[in-house]
Amino acid sequence: MIVAVEGPSAAGKTTWCRAAATEFVAEYLPTGDEPDGHDPEAQARYWTGVNWDRWSQAIALERRAGVALCDSDPLKLHYSWCLARIGEASATRFLAELGAVREAMRRRQIGFADAVFLTLPEEGVLRRQKDSDTTRSRRTFELHVRLRGPLEEWYRTVDYLRPGSVVWELPPTGVADLVPALQPDDRYDVDLLDALASRLPQTG
């Protein structure tokens, strides 16, 4: 099974993954060459490619180890939606990425994780954890801390459509006792993706 570990910046995702597994799919690290957003279609292709690569890593790890933990959701479509939800990006960006992801999912190049472990510490906790971690600058923390609410909205919608697939904590016992909520074929359910997009609150 593939498990996505999600939460706001400084929520403790990476720390939990390191404690839970000897190997996991690392989160994407910016390179400085990311698209600037002037071409939404090119930007959508870029990020879908990034996430396709992380999904491929998850599939390979699952084959080796049986369970693949991912430090942040390989699908990652929630990010552009969350930005649009707080008015920091246009809905055009999200819609372009939705189209690119939809096509990639149709080709079984990217899919839904079988389960999501979601942690949503309060803002004060996030700030304390950010200040105590001297290994990372988190230059975009002020933006990302505002995404906590939309992130919860996204995964509550996912949980409504896929009951039991979202675990609302980082389990102290790891993944040993977790039973997948869905069969693997549901990973690439384009109808589920469409249903998710249609049920999300409006952006802007």
Side-chain angles (χ1 to χ4, degrees), residues 139-203:
R139 289 174 295 178
T140 57
F141 177 81
E142 292 302 328
L143 170 64
H144 286 178
V145 76
R146 295 167 56 201
L147 303 182
R148 181 189 178 282
L151 188 67
E152 180 177 0
E153 291 180 313
W154 177 279
Y155 282 107
R156 289 211 177 275
T157 306
V158 171
D159 197 40
Y160 174 84
L161 294 170
R162 307 171 82 205
S165 65
V166 178
V167 178
W168 297 89
E169 64 174 345
L170 302 184
T173 58
V175 299
D177 299 324
L178 183 69
V179 177
L182 301 175
Q183 297 298 316
D185 284 348
D186 289 325
R187 291 174 175 175
Y188 305 103
D189 188 343
V190 174
D191 289 339
L192 179 62
L193 179 65
D194 291 342
L196 172 60
S198 68
R199 287 196 64 89
L200 288 168
Q202 291 187 350
T203 58

Side-chain angles (χ1 to χ4, degrees), residues 3 6 36 44 48 54 64 68 92 113 160 170 178 192:
V3 178
E6 263 299 350
D36 61 10
T48 302
R54 294 187 69 241
R64 293 196 303 273
T92 300
Y160 174 84
L170 302 184
L178 183 69
L192 179 62

Side-chain angles (χ1 to χ4, degrees), residues 99-120:
V101 167
R102 192 179 192 280
E103 179 60 20
M105 188 173 288
R106 188 185 66 79
R107 296 181 179 183
R108 302 174 76 85
Q109 295 168 337
I110 195 167
F112 290 98
D114 300 300
V116 177
F117 293 171
L118 180 65
T119 179
L120 293 166

Side-chain angles (χ1 to χ4, degrees), residues 28-103:
Y28 173 80
L29 296 178
T31 65
D33 295 325
E34 291 78 13
D36 61 10
H38 79 278
D39 183 342
E41 297 296 334
Q43 187 176 43
R45 289 193 298 270
Y46 178 88
W47 287 114
T48 302
V50 165
N51 299 329
W52 175 9
D53 179 66
R54 294 187 69 241
W55 181 258
S56 298
Q57 293 177 47
I59 292 293
L61 179 56
E62 180 189 38
R63 288 171 180 162
R64 293 196 303 273
V67 175
L69 289 182
C70 302
D71 184 356
S72 79
D73 194 339
L75 189 61
K76 204 65 177 181
L77 187 58
H78 64 73
Y79 184 66
S80 60
W81 180 83
C82 286
L83 288 175
R85 182 72 169 144
I86 65 170
E88 290 292 339
S90 70
T92 300
R93 172 178 173 175
F94 169 65
L95 293 174
E97 291 186 22
L98 174 63
V101 167
R102 192 179 192 280
E103 179 60 20

